[in-house]
Amino acid sequence: MCGIVGYAGHRPAIPVVVEELHRLEYRGYDSAGVACVQQGAFRVVRAQGKLSALEQLLSEQAPSTATTGMGHTRWATHGAPAVRNAHPHLSNDASLALVHNGIIENYLEIKKDLAARGYVFHSETDTEVLVNLIQECHRTEPDLRKAFARALSMAHGAYAVCLMSKDEPDAFYAARMSAPLILGVGTGENFVASDIPAFLPYTRKVVFLEDGEMVRVTSSSFAISRVQDLSPVDYRVETIEWDVQAAQKGGYRHFMLKEIFEQPKVLSDGMAGRLLEDAKGVRLPELDGLPVPSRLSIVACGTSAHAGMWGRHIIEALAEIPIQVEIASEYRYKEKLLFQPDEMVLVISQSGETADTLAALRRAKECGAKVLGLCNVVGSSIAREADCVLYTQAGPEISVASTKAMCSQMLVLTLMALYWGERKQIVSEATRAACIETLLSLPQILEKELPSMHAQAKVLARKYAQARNFFYLGRGHCYALALEGALKLKELSYIHAEGYAAGEMKHGPIALIDSAFPTFAICLADELLPKVKSNMVEVQARQGKVIAVTTPGVDLPADDLWIVPDVPSFMSGFIVLPVLQLFSYEMADYLGKDVDQPRNLAKSVTVE
Ligand code: AGP
């Protein structure tokens, strides 16, 4: 996710704006830029890479005396990380400058219409389209506030924007829809930013803008109105008690907890622009030019491999594409990689830099396979080297333990299953509608359930904190979730945990069970429930304690029941995943572990 900042005050604006951007760096970015108005014209400075590159460019120029300005750190969604795509973007007539966080879903249609009117574009971004749409609206509406509002009403999707006009050098406009934007109220100076840490050293007084609101800001005033009809908005000035570091975590104790709670938004963002009108189907234009794979090898590491194992079930069920899931470190050294016509490889990687996964991609390409990438980081090595890449749009994942990334990967895998199933014409209208309806309901379900899940995790983590070993059991797609639950527990709390196919217990592992070896069983109300239930009885017969994740009304012989909402079929995985994440989070936090930076681990394993 990008970071945007605006400043109007009594100090030279650019140094303040750059300082604000530094305090948003934790959000991750690949380029940055600033803008102000000097002698009636815009000064825009943009640089790829870290803020230091931008600061170097600024140091080579005469300092600006402007006391109003804005800035941006870009986390690429549309268009590669490059200076031409960095914000701020100027309108064609250089009268307007815009910075933007979010995704304008209908930007291609708007771009086509503007191009027909003679507008030219220098980037691949949706942001440059929006600033020129504002110019076009301003051409017939002299009041910039009205023109801005009209343009925003034509843009569909998520945005937090900051706009400046060379004709109003001491003011900036800002607006938000489904992306955060906060007003900082100072003394003789005012701020706007994507997140509170940006301006916290200057003021603790904030106004949280709501969706559909816009604001015009000067050093001594701000006026909030509704985009829809420009009616004034009542607002409340609140005081922030956090320090900067706490603010960067949005008030959560750790980035991991913040990212677990971001999963409803990750699901919404992941679906943005990928569902046809009236949810009539899935659109994945990245795959349109490719045949439907005759067979698919999914290759990844760690949590991404578990996402692939989970996705296998839904793709085989809906698209009837045979799938094999491979661990990248094994796959890359296989004696032979044999591919039949139209067989493909899908590599999954949040960072897009995992050495084993990148090596597996290169080996598969050398052997003649078409390789698809599923990544979170735009422009990462895997994203660049794959023949075709799909992005999870989950925003930067700061905590070493991967949480929201897996949720976003599972979502895109579900969309791929529906997309390929539709292309093969084997997904019925009813199945497709039911799947999409369930997907669309997930953000709201999770938003509602996460707090109670977190409370239950606190209780059970403390109850089982003495355990030195844990089994995680599941069948079908829940086997992949069991593996993920075990990985989370061991990498965060350093407790030994084994994820197992529940049916495998009697083939040896059950010898380990005793009263000090608890089991976390995933027992959803599906056709495999009776089987998992009998596995639980086997565990309890040997004095093993059982925590069972299940849905309302299921009678289970567990020591602790963890009830979650009943969501159809594979989609229940999106509900079980945060349960497993929160249990591990609370266990690690209770045991005093370094939750965001567990020992021996790196966020991206860029070496073998
Ligand atoms: C997950 O919690 C771990 N940090 C680790 O297993 C991670 O999923 C793995 O290294 C793969 O990373 P990637 O998705 O960036 O390729």
Side-chain angles (χ1 to χ4, degrees):
M1 59 202 147
C2 306
I4 67 173
V5 298
Y7 175 76
H10 50 81
R11 313 167 203 260
I14 295 306
V16 173
V17 163
V18 172
E19 190 192 332
E20 288 186 271
L21 292 178
H22 270 295
R23 276 194 290 277
L24 294 183
E25 282 191 286
Y26 70 91
R27 296 158 65 95
Y29 65 100
D30 46 58
S31 55
V34 295
C36 63
V37 178
Q38 194 87 44
Q39 279 98 34
F42 271 110
R43 268 185 73 180
V44 177
V45 182
R46 304 181 295 176
Q48 185 173 342
K50 293 302 174 197
L51 278 175
S52 52
L54 177 65
E55 289 172 306
Q56 178 58 38
L57 283 180
L58 287 167
S59 67
E60 293 160 5
Q61 305 175 9
S64 155
T65 55
T67 57
T68 299
M70 62 185 185
H72 184 266
T73 48
R74 182 170 185 255
W75 169 270
T77 52
H78 291 89
V83 173
R84 69 176 184 284
N85 289 327
H87 304 204
H89 285 285
L90 286 178
S91 56
N92 271 203
D93 65 3
S95 70
L96 300 170
L98 186 76
V99 292
H100 165 226
N101 176 25
I103 298 172
I104 305 298
E105 292 174 13
N106 60 334
Y107 84 100
L108 289 173
E109 294 94 278
I110 297 170
K111 185 172 186 174
K112 194 172 166 197
D113 175 62
L114 291 172
R117 297 167 185 268
Y119 286 83
V120 293
F121 296 91
H122 310 288
S123 78
E124 301 106 64
T125 66
D126 50 353
T127 309
E128 192 186 13
V129 171
L130 183 54
V131 72
N132 281 298
L133 178 62
I134 300 166
Q135 175 189 322
E136 177 60 17
C137 292
H138 197 22
R139 188 170 60 80
T140 53
E141 172 47 71
D143 180 337
L144 181 57
R145 210 166 62 102
K146 292 178 181 172
F148 185 31
R150 185 181 304 164
L152 292 175
S153 61
M154 294 163 73
H156 304 152
Y159 58 77
V161 289
C162 195
L163 170 74
M164 284 186 71
S165 163
K166 69 176 176 60
D167 303 325
E168 301 180 51
D170 298 324
F172 66 81
Y173 296 77
R176 64 155 284 176
M177 176 60 77
S178 306
L181 197 63
I182 303 108
L183 196 55
V185 185
T187 306
E189 56 189 4
N190 290 308
F191 307 77
V192 76
S194 303
D195 205 354
I196 290 166
F199 52 67
L200 202 53
Y202 291 96
T203 180
R204 289 183 173 277
K205 298 195 177 308
V206 302
V207 174
F208 291 94
L209 294 175
E210 300 298 339
D211 280 353
E213 292 180 355
M214 62 186 286
V215 62
R216 182 176 187 276
V217 183
T218 67
S219 61
S220 57
S221 69
F222 59 89
I224 306 175
S225 48
R226 288 180 187 80
V227 170
Q228 189 182 2
D229 55 12
L230 294 178
S231 56
V233 169
D234 291 336
Y235 59 82
R236 188 158 55 100
V237 179
E238 303 184 44
T239 302
I240 298 298
E241 304 303 340
W242 299 328
D243 61 23
V244 171
Q245 223 218 6
Q248 287 178 340
K249 295 169 192 156
Y252 290 99
R253 266 175 68 76
H254 299 97
F255 280 113
M256 181 181 173
L257 192 58
K258 178 183 178 194
E259 287 154 8
I260 290 171
F261 274 77
E262 280 177 353
Q263 288 177 126
K265 183 174 182 314
V266 161
L267 287 167
S268 305
D269 288 354
M271 284 185 266
R274 288 174 164 155
L275 296 179
L276 298 177
E277 287 297 308
D278 304 327
K280 284 272 183 280
V282 172
R283 58 188 296 276
L284 292 176
E286 303 91 334
L287 299 178
D288 288 348
L290 294 172
V292 177
S294 58
R295 182 178 187 79
L296 190 68
S297 297
I298 298 179
V299 184
C301 300
T303 289
S304 294
H306 298 153
M309 290 177 74
W310 182 89
R312 167 192 183 179
H313 289 273
I314 199 162
I315 296 174
E316 287 184 339
L318 294 182
E320 295 178 7
I321 297 170
I323 289 182
Q324 64 191 61
V325 181
E326 304 266 3
I327 297 297
S329 54
E330 291 295 308
Y331 185 79
R332 63 180 289 191
Y333 294 117
K334 284 178 84 171
E335 197 59 38
K336 287 186 185 305
L337 293 184
L338 306 168
F339 300 106
Q340 62 192 21
D342 283 346
E343 181 171 350
M344 291 183 199
V345 175
L346 169 66
V347 293
I348 303 176
S349 177
Q350 187 285 129
S351 62
E353 300 298 344
T354 299
D356 284 323
T357 311
L358 181 56
L361 173 153
R362 289 171 177 164
R363 175 91 195 278
K365 288 183 74 170
E366 283 162 14
C367 297
K370 186 73 79 184
V371 180
L372 312 178
L374 176 56
C375 296
N376 190 37
V377 179
V378 176
S380 56
S381 301
I382 288 173
R384 285 196 315 275
E385 296 191 28
D387 294 303
C388 160
V389 63
L390 292 132
Y391 287 115
T392 49
Q393 294 169 181
E397 189 174 63
I398 312 294
S399 190
V400 166
S402 195
T403 51
K404 65 174 183 175
M406 181 163 174
C407 173
S408 66
Q409 291 162 348
M410 288 163 61
L411 171 68
V412 178
L413 288 164
T414 303
L415 295 174
M416 291 168 81
L418 283 166
Y419 171 85
W420 279 327
E422 286 173 49
R423 278 189 55 180
K424 292 175 72 175
Q425 297 180 335
I426 53 177
V427 172
S428 70
E429 172 73 25
T431 301
R432 178 179 60 207
C435 285
I436 292 175
E437 184 186 350
T438 303
L439 281 177
L440 288 169
S441 70
L442 288 172
Q444 196 176 356
I445 293 172
L446 272 186
E447 198 78 56
K448 175 174 174 289
E449 293 296 325
L450 280 168
S452 57
M453 285 179 183
H454 188 195
Q456 176 77 325
K458 276 187 200 288
V459 169
L460 292 179
R462 282 150 182 75
K463 181 174 180 182
Y464 288 87
Q466 304 311 315
R468 300 276 56 70
N469 298 284
F470 248 98
F471 261 130
Y472 281 73
L473 300 184
R475 285 179 183 253
H477 72 103
C478 293
Y479 168 39
L481 298 171
L483 290 173
E484 176 59 11
L487 174 64
K488 281 286 150 312
L489 189 69
K490 62 185 133 194
E491 68 174 336
L492 285 157
S493 64
Y494 317 149
I495 295 172
H496 166 245
E498 300 234 7
Y500 248 91
E504 272 294 286
M505 282 296 281
K506 54 182 157 315
H507 298 285
I510 201 161
L512 289 170
I513 296 294
D514 60 25
S515 59
F517 203 129
T519 292
F520 204 114
I522 304 170
C523 291
L524 303 174
D526 55 26
E527 68 284 353
L528 294 171
L529 174 64
K531 305 294 179 194
V532 182
K533 199 169 173 177
S534 62
N535 298 136
M536 288 166 53
V537 172
E538 292 161 11
V539 169
Q540 288 187 315
R542 291 154 181 85
Q543 288 74 51
K545 295 280 185 292
V546 175
I547 301 172
V549 186
T550 190
T551 47
V554 175
D555 173 32
L556 288 174
D559 298 272
D560 291 282
L561 276 181
W562 193 328
I563 308 293
V564 295
D566 189 1
V567 164
S569 184
F570 300 109
M571 314 292 178
S572 53
F574 292 98
I575 307 296
V576 171
L577 182 65
V579 164
L580 303 170
Q581 295 165 347
L582 287 165
F583 179 71
S584 301
Y585 169 80
E586 278 301 326
M587 185 70 89
D589 190 31
Y590 181 67
L591 295 174
K593 306 303 183 192
D594 184 347
V595 170
D596 282 329
Q597 298 280 346
R599 69 184 182 195
N600 311 335
L601 295 186
K603 183 58 188 168
S604 180
V605 183
T606 55
V607 294
E608 279 202 44

